[in-house]
Amino acid sequence: MGTVTDWTSSIQNTIVSITSDHHPDSLLQSLVADWRRGFFNEIHRRFHNGEPQEDIDVTHRRILNELLQHEKYLQLNAELDEGRREQLVQSWHYQTSWPDSIPGLQRLKQKFFIVVLANGTTRLQLDLVKSSGLPFHTLFSSQLLGSTKPDPAIYHKTIALLGLKPEECLMVAAHAYDVRAAAKVGMKTAYVHRATEDPDEDIAAIESQQEFDYFVSGTDGTAECGLFHLGDLLGA
């Protein structure tokens, strides 16, 4: 989510479809952004506290319920009954890909194995691949591997399952914490800048300081940016 799929549009469209039309767009956009930020805060909190991972749907539902108790969302809290909240949680399973994702992955696939390594459930990954049409070779979820990023164990286990060495692998993500963790275990790294991701990161500094092996912009909405451009850099 975020690196290859546009979760923002998917979630916002669902909220619009199940709420009344008197809510300003800015309020709905704020809820979606706060929900995503809350999810990241929660998985990092659980990781640092040594707590076991949980089903991503459970996490999303809890964060949503907490957000709706905030004063600015009280009208939405009253409007969103249990059924509508479940619709919102399930909307994370159905997303569209960025314009560059499918052509970029198809290009990279000609030269490399391309796999998903993401926090969440296998069912979530299957639903996302089905709804977005993303052509990965295989999917690795934190549920399947038994650990959560940025735990070094999840990267090591994936590398071992692929029969490779860390330096033979490239971690591609739109989340700096993820590629930083991959770099620490010896993987090569590629950061894809998406407008929806890493709101608290200094993106200009990441690019100018050449923190990662590759930096590509995926924000202009064309099929030639992002992952497709990464294919240029990798000779795919």
Side-chain angles (χ1 to χ4, degrees), residues 6-22:
D6 176 12
W7 56 268
T8 309
S9 297
S10 303
I11 308 307
Q12 286 181 183
N13 288 341
T14 301
I15 292 179
V16 169
S17 71
I18 65 175
T19 57
S20 57
D21 58 9
H22 66 271

Side-chain angles (χ1 to χ4, degrees), residues 44-63:
H44 292 319
R45 183 194 67 78
R46 295 179 69 87
F47 170 73
H48 289 299
N49 290 342
E51 298 178 27
Q53 59 179 302
E54 66 178 0
D55 189 306
I56 192 171
D57 290 350
V58 174
T59 305
H60 274 147
R61 181 59 180 268
R62 184 174 63 256
I63 299 302

